[in-house]
Amino acid sequence: MSWTVEDSEALYRINRWGEGYFGVDDKGRLQVLPVVGNRNVTIAIQEVVDELLQQNVQFPIVLRFHDILRNRVQELNQAFGEAIAEASYGGRYFGVYPIKVNQMREVVEEIVDAGRPFNYGLEAGSKAELMAVLSLDIEPESLIICNGYKDDDFLRLALIGTKMRRKVVVVIEKTSEIAPLLRLAGEMQVRPIIGLRTKMRVKAEGRWSESSGEHAKFGLTTSEILTTIAYLEEKGYGDCVQLLHFHIGSQLSDIRYVDDATQEAARIYARLKKRGVPLIYLDVGGGLAVDYDGSRTSGHSSMNYSLAEYTRAVVQNIQSVCDYEEVAHPNLVSESGRAIAAHHSCVIMKVIGEISRNTNSFDTAAIDDEHDLITGMRALQAEVLDVENYQEAYNRVSRYLDDVLNGFKLGIIRLEDLAKAETMYWQIMRAIADGIRSKEDVSEDLRDIDEILASQYLCNFSLFQSAADTWAIDQVLPLVPLTRLTEEPTRNCTVADITCDSDGKIDHFIGEHGTRSTVPLHPLRAGEDYYVGLFMTGAYQDVMGDMHNLFGRLNEAHVFCDDDDPTDFYVEEVIQGTSAGQVLNIMQYNPTAMAERVKKSIDAEVRAGNIRPREGVGLVDLYEACLNGSTYLR
Ligand SMILES: *Cc1c(COP(=O)(O)O)cnc(C)c1O
């Protein structure tokens, strides 16, 4: 049976994590289907790459598919709308996008624009984020939610927003924020909209569990909520408390936590409402997960529920508690960030080389006075293919290599024999790996051979800049080649970046059963470029990266679909990443002074007659060009 694009789709689980946004065309190219449900608009990612290469754009690059972003905003808002209609729920949905997930102006502007019909709003967690949010033009009914710890300036900025007639909600994270808020509101003569963040009893398991439970960093305990409300009433601000907020963590992979949290919060909401607190919004925070590995499980890179299930859970849990307590249904707010932003961007990088275990190619032909161990290995090599007793062959070849190494240490094996032994060892291992591929029940030892033989594909990118969570918390992100998907990928690989850090590698990939340590890729061909994409980097990864080894931000291309264009797309703009000079500047170097100093040294060599003047000028020009150039490999 020959390999088909369906085989590739299944192998890389594209339909599982892709949410319909990705597929493979009949030429074996990975494609983007930015408009879910419209299979006529398809963008072959390699065509975008080729166009950018033609424009001499430096890779690696972040590609942003704005249509995916818009579609995510629509899907979320529509899902809430449908859940509300289906349940005959009494409130409306006013979602907000928390910009910390991806603060790029173009990203936030696209989200704002797509969210306009839904009165979709924004959430800020710091002064800088709030300043960004206040500069954007959102609908008058849309909410601006201010979370995070707040100093006077943060509170003033929020109140400026209120003066601008925006619906800014100041969420109180900590009781000490109340007095300054009221003081500043008095000074600036505005009535703030106040939200209260409740510390939740339910504790989500997983990576962000610290956001909930008794020891959470944020939020008010029940007694703090009651004293805060009493204080606000006493000061004449009781009518300003409109929103109850909670957030128990990001990437809630089990729907159970959503159920528990919404039930608990709805009960608090209802009881406060019955005490006369004029609440009208219940904000369920973030946490809506993304199925990075496509396994549809409660594993931490996955989720065991769909978007529709999530919105139904939120709506129905809150509805049933409020009905029971006989209070009006609140308007619903969610702060889903990851689920909005993750799918729209990817990092495209070129595989620039292979670090392989089986490139040993020393001539292993027999010579007269070679050591018996070498002769023995050669005999074993001839046998492997016949006997099909792979376990025995594996045991014996491992033993041979040990003996040869010991012999070498003792001085009885020559360097040439060691080179032969190494070469034959890897050849035999490969023969075993090929032999067991079709076998069902093989031992653990033999299963590991594939991993031992795995090649490292060296890619022009920095993990620390482009996929921080892969390094920090073993987040699995899909990695797929852009082309050749009509061919079986026969190399099992790990992926190494170009930083000088041995942690700069990816060795967690999507597997059939959970994760696997290698990803199948195609053998590299001489003279042919091979690009791979790291997908779903739009939430957090794009903006959290650091400058390890001084690799800076990547160039970015903003891609839009256009059904009338033969390629179905156009690149609206390419945003320059950070140059070497800019990165150095952040580290307190002065690129101009650096270039001057280098020039001075070279001039001195020219004067001393060690460098020809023309050559000297060229060297200085090169240094300056590199300062202005990319931090990545050209
Ligand atoms: C981070 C954060 C969010 C976003 O969470 P996602 O899981 O990405 O949707 C929402 N609200 C608050 C308070 C947060 O801290």
Side-chain angles (χ1 to χ4, degrees), residues 149-204:
Y149 293 130
K150 299 165 197 76
D151 64 3
D152 281 9
D153 281 344
F154 195 158
L155 294 168
R156 279 191 193 100
L157 286 167
L159 296 172
I160 289 174
T162 311
K163 285 206 179 244
M164 291 162 63
R165 306 181 68 81
R166 302 289 173 78
K167 284 204 166 162
V168 181
V169 182
V170 180
V171 175
I172 300 299
E173 304 269 9
K174 183 153 126 309
T175 48
S176 59
E177 288 169 356
I178 283 286
L181 173 64
L182 299 193
R183 173 172 47 80
L184 293 167
E187 279 172 26
M188 295 171 67
Q189 302 195 339
V190 279
R191 301 292 290 176
I193 304 176
I194 298 176
L196 300 175
R197 176 163 180 175
T198 157
K199 215 172 241 183
M200 297 290 280
R201 220 57 43 132
V202 295
K203 203 158 163 49

Side-chain angles (χ1 to χ4, degrees), residues 3 8 11-12 28-30 46 49-50 53 59 347-354 456-460 479-495 519-533:
W3 191 260
S8 286
L11 176 70
Y12 296 111
R29 300 178 304 179
L30 191 64
Q46 185 66 43
V49 169
D50 291 341
L53 287 171
F59 278 64
V347 178
I348 305 296
M349 54 213 184
K350 186 164 133 179
V351 179
I352 52 171
E354 176 177 8
Q456 283 187 65
Y457 271 19
L458 196 57
C459 290
N460 188 15
L479 184 126
V480 187
L482 302 189
T483 52
R484 295 172 67 182
L485 294 167
T486 48
E487 286 170 47
E488 183 174 4
T490 52
R491 279 269 200 284
N492 283 324
C493 305
T494 59
V495 167
V519 61
L521 294 172
H522 301 91
L524 302 178
R525 290 189 194 131
E528 188 182 305
D529 289 343
Y530 187 65
Y531 284 90
V532 297

